[in-house]
Amino acid sequence: MKMLHLSVILLTLSGVLAHSDWGVNYPNNPICAVRGFSVSIPCSYYYPTSKPNIQVTQKLWCSMNSNTDKCQNPPYVYNSASITTSDFEYAGDDKSDCTLLIHNVQFSYSGEYRFRFITDVSGGMWTGEPGATLQVADLKVSLIRLSGIGTLKQGDSLNLTCDVNCTQSSSQFVWSKNNERLNTSGPVLHFPAVTVRDSGSYTCTWKTNRASGSKAISLLVEGGWGVNYTTPICAVRGFSVSIPCSYSYPQHNYQVTQKLWCSMNSNTDKCQNPPYVYNSASITTSDFEYAGDDKSNCTLLIHNVQFSYSGTYRFRFITNVSGGMWTGEPGQILQVSDLKVSLIRLSGNGTLKQGDSLNLTCDVNCTQSSSQFVWSKNNERLNTSGPVLHFPAVTVRDSGNYTCTWKTNRASGSKMISLLVEGDNPENPDHWSVWMIVVVTGGLIIIILAIAAVIYHRRFLCERRSVHIEQQKEDDSDIYANAQQKEDDSDIYANAQQKEDDSDIYANV
């Protein structure tokens, strides 16, 4: 009995050790990310080292928002067996690192994520539970007035506050003004008494060891000279973009008489002299349109944006007072990119066929923090968002023109791609080829069957005729035999009669 107990204990310990040889490690606390930016989910995994020949063959990540099967079956946000382009990128390896990078994080990405790996050993697979928790929030920069009301004036007191509504224990706040870092830290930037020199664009950058994000706010103090720009702006080639801008000057007895915009690609004189891309004193028609006013708004619209329009732009204004002019420095940065829509095959090759798997991806190579992707098919909006449109198994109904529209609060652009699944278009030459093959093959089968029927019918008639002839011969043979028999009987009868006659003659004698 003691030996039995000992055996049970040893087997139990052996099972525990085998179980402990497999595992996945996640961070203990939830991970915080800022919407529109990237985040890293650290992860490590392990499997029996006592068997050095074990190889990891597949790596998988699941979002438990959509996966209800404990990550044992699709859908996956990452699958090493599929070559896809999406916001989810594997940054680990085949040994122990299973780190996941998520780009352009959205609120819908909040939730639990699990990692699963499969090896080349039978039954050698593992899913890490319960998983890593991701929280997504907006980065908010707010202006809190401590004194003064209405427009900001010199001497007013205020705070700029930076906040991320996430349960993140360790984080760092970095402040910059007009893209130049300030020697301060913490979520609050305090101004005990603002001056005109405090006017400008302030950016708060929030950082952790796993994520980061930034947000800008403009500060315009009345009573001085200044021009305020925003963070770098992204635009799509061939479309329009709005460059927000505000300016200030002493309001008393000052009137703006001229407004100018310069591209620093061509202007080397700090926008104090031509050339200008916009000059209110000249009535010209170009891609550059002034959408501001004579008071404080200096917004510039650029139509039909080209790659050559990338660069720094500066606004300059001149008033009716001698020496009353100002150029805003360092300027506004514009980035121009192409909107690319790509078809990425996940299965199948050659022409698209029913059952093939693919992704349509939409991409703008710009440093734009917040953007929206809208998909439509044949000009009808689809109920989906994000840069990737996934087709797990296409059908003929998926054929059509797909348009990706990229939007921000300052720019937009769209690009179309056509999807044709084989067998859907009757005007497709391949379609007609298939039907020609079907028709010709069907015709040949019918002809062969007809010939076979004729041959069979003729053989049947021949065999029937042969049987009839043989039967006739047999009947003739019977008739001949009967006639022969009758003739023989007649001869016998004649002989008998002859004998009888002879016997009568003999008696008479």
Side-chain angles (χ1 to χ4, degrees):
M1 190 69 178
K2 290 182 179 179
M3 288 297 294
L4 178 61
H5 282 298
L6 182 59
S7 299
V8 171
I9 292 171
L10 289 174
L11 286 171
T12 303
L13 289 175
S14 175
V16 170
L17 289 174
H19 182 79
S20 64
D21 285 343
W22 298 80
V24 179
N25 295 323
Y26 307 106
N28 294 325
N29 299 319
I31 298 171
C32 185
V34 173
R35 182 170 66 100
F37 289 85
S38 299
V39 63
S40 169
I41 299 181
C43 169
S44 62
Y45 65 106
Y46 53 92
Y47 45 90
T49 56
S50 58
K51 297 181 179 180
N53 293 327
I54 292 182
Q55 300 288 330
V56 175
T57 58
Q58 192 173 5
K59 305 171 290 292
L60 307 160
W61 271 98
C62 295
S63 168
M64 304 316 295
N65 293 339
S66 56
N67 192 298
T68 58
D69 196 36
K70 296 184 178 181
C71 202
Q72 294 179 7
N73 292 295
Y76 307 113
V77 296
Y78 171 78
N79 183 355
S80 63
S82 300
I83 302 174
T84 60
T85 302
S86 70
D87 290 339
F88 298 86
E89 176 187 353
Y90 187 74
D93 54 36
D94 294 334
K95 302 296 182 182
S96 61
D97 187 2
C98 47
T99 299
L100 179 69
L101 292 179
I102 307 178
H103 306 284
N104 190 31
V105 175
Q106 302 299 316
F107 287 133
S108 60
Y109 294 176
S110 295
E112 180 189 349
Y113 289 83
R114 294 180 184 176
F115 175 70
R116 177 176 176 84
F117 65 98
I118 301 173
T119 68
D120 57 354
V121 177
S122 178
M125 55 193 72
W126 192 268
T127 300
E129 296 182 19
T133 301
L134 177 66
Q135 297 175 339
V136 181
D138 263 334
L139 180 63
K140 298 179 181 179
V141 179
S142 307
L143 188 156
I144 300 175
R145 296 289 292 270
L146 304 179
S147 66
I149 57 175
T151 58
L152 282 175
K153 300 177 182 64
Q154 295 192 92
D156 288 349
S157 179
L158 60 90
N159 284 340
L160 295 182
T161 62
C162 194
D163 178 58
V164 179
N165 189 22
C166 274
T167 56
Q168 190 72 28
S169 57
S170 59
S171 57
Q172 179 187 8
F173 295 89
V174 177
W175 290 91
S176 61
K177 176 187 176 183
N178 297 331
N179 297 323
E180 292 185 6
R181 181 167 176 171
L182 300 176
N183 189 22
T184 187
S185 61
V188 179
L189 191 59
H190 179 57
F191 296 83
V194 294
T195 67
V196 292
R197 293 183 179 180
D198 292 322
S199 296
S201 178
Y202 290 82
T203 302
C204 171
T205 301
W206 171 82
K207 294 181 178 180
T208 69
N209 57 344
R210 298 163 185 161
S212 66
S214 62
K215 187 77 173 181
I217 189 171
S218 294
L219 206 63
L220 179 60
V221 181
E222 192 178 85
W225 298 83
V227 177
N228 294 320
Y229 306 105
T230 185
T231 54
I233 297 174
C234 183
V236 173
R237 182 170 65 100
F239 290 85
S240 299
V241 63
S242 170
I243 298 180
C245 168
S246 61
Y247 63 107
S248 61
Y249 53 92
Q251 298 294 319
H252 184 66
N253 294 329
Y254 282 79
Q255 291 184 354
V256 176
T257 59
Q258 191 175 4
K259 303 170 292 291
L260 306 160
W261 270 98
C262 296
S263 168
M264 304 318 294
N265 293 339
S266 56
N267 192 298
T268 57
D269 195 35
K270 295 184 179 181
C271 201
Q272 295 178 7
N273 292 293
Y276 306 114
V277 294
Y278 171 79
N279 183 356
S280 62
S282 302
I283 302 175
T284 59
T285 302
S286 71
D287 290 338
F288 298 85
E289 176 188 353
Y290 187 73
D293 53 35
D294 294 335
K295 301 296 183 181
S296 61
N297 187 357
C298 48
T299 299
L300 179 69
L301 291 180
I302 307 178
H303 305 284
N304 191 29
V305 176
Q306 302 299 315
F307 287 132
S308 59
Y309 293 176
S310 295
T312 301
Y313 290 82
R314 291 178 183 172
F315 176 69
R316 178 177 175 83
F317 64 99
I318 301 173
T319 68
N320 58 342
V321 177
S322 178
M325 56 192 71
W326 192 268
T327 300
E329 296 183 18
Q332 176 63 56
I333 297 175
L334 175 65
Q335 299 173 336
V336 181
S337 175
D338 261 335
L339 179 63
K340 298 179 180 179
V341 179
S342 307
L343 189 157
I344 300 175
R345 297 288 292 271
L346 306 181
S347 68
N349 51 43
T351 57
L352 281 176
K353 302 175 184 65
Q354 294 194 93
D356 288 351
S357 179
L358 61 91
N359 282 341
L360 295 183
T361 63
C362 195
D363 179 57
V364 179
N365 189 23
C366 274
T367 56
Q368 189 71 30
S369 58
S370 60
S371 56
Q372 180 186 8
F373 294 88
V374 177
W375 290 91
S376 61
K377 177 187 175 183
N378 297 332
N379 297 322
E380 292 186 6
R381 181 165 176 172
L382 300 176
N383 188 23
T384 186
S385 61
V388 179
L389 191 60
H390 180 56
F391 296 83
V394 295
T395 67
V396 292
R397 294 183 178 180
D398 292 321
S399 295
N401 295 321
Y402 289 82
T403 302
C404 171
T405 301
W406 171 83
K407 295 181 179 180
T408 70
N409 57 344
R410 296 161 188 160
S412 66
S414 62
K415 187 77 172 181
M416 186 186 73
I417 189 171
S418 293
L419 204 63
L420 179 60
V421 181
E422 190 176 86
D424 183 56
N425 186 357
E427 295 180 3
N428 185 2
D430 294 336
H431 174 94
W432 283 110
S433 298
V434 171
W435 277 107
M436 286 296 293
I437 293 172
V438 172
V439 171
V440 171
T441 303
L444 289 174
I445 292 173
I446 292 172
I447 292 171
I448 292 171
L449 290 175
I451 294 173
V454 171
I455 294 173
Y456 175 79
H457 183 67
R458 289 184 176 179
R459 285 184 178 178
F460 176 77
L461 293 177
C462 290
E463 289 176 0
R464 188 172 179 179
R465 186 176 298 170
S466 298
V467 170
H468 179 74
I469 292 171
E470 291 295 329
Q471 186 66 37
Q472 185 67 38
K473 287 181 179 179
E474 185 176 326
D475 293 341
D476 294 342
S477 176
D478 292 340
I479 294 170
Y480 177 80
N482 291 334
Q484 185 67 37
Q485 182 65 37
K486 288 180 180 180
E487 184 176 328
D488 293 339
D489 292 342
S490 179
D491 292 340
I492 293 170
Y493 177 79
N495 291 334
Q497 188 66 38
Q498 183 66 39
K499 286 181 179 180
E500 185 176 317
D501 293 340
D502 292 342
S503 179
D504 289 341
I505 296 171
Y506 178 77
N508 292 331
V509 174

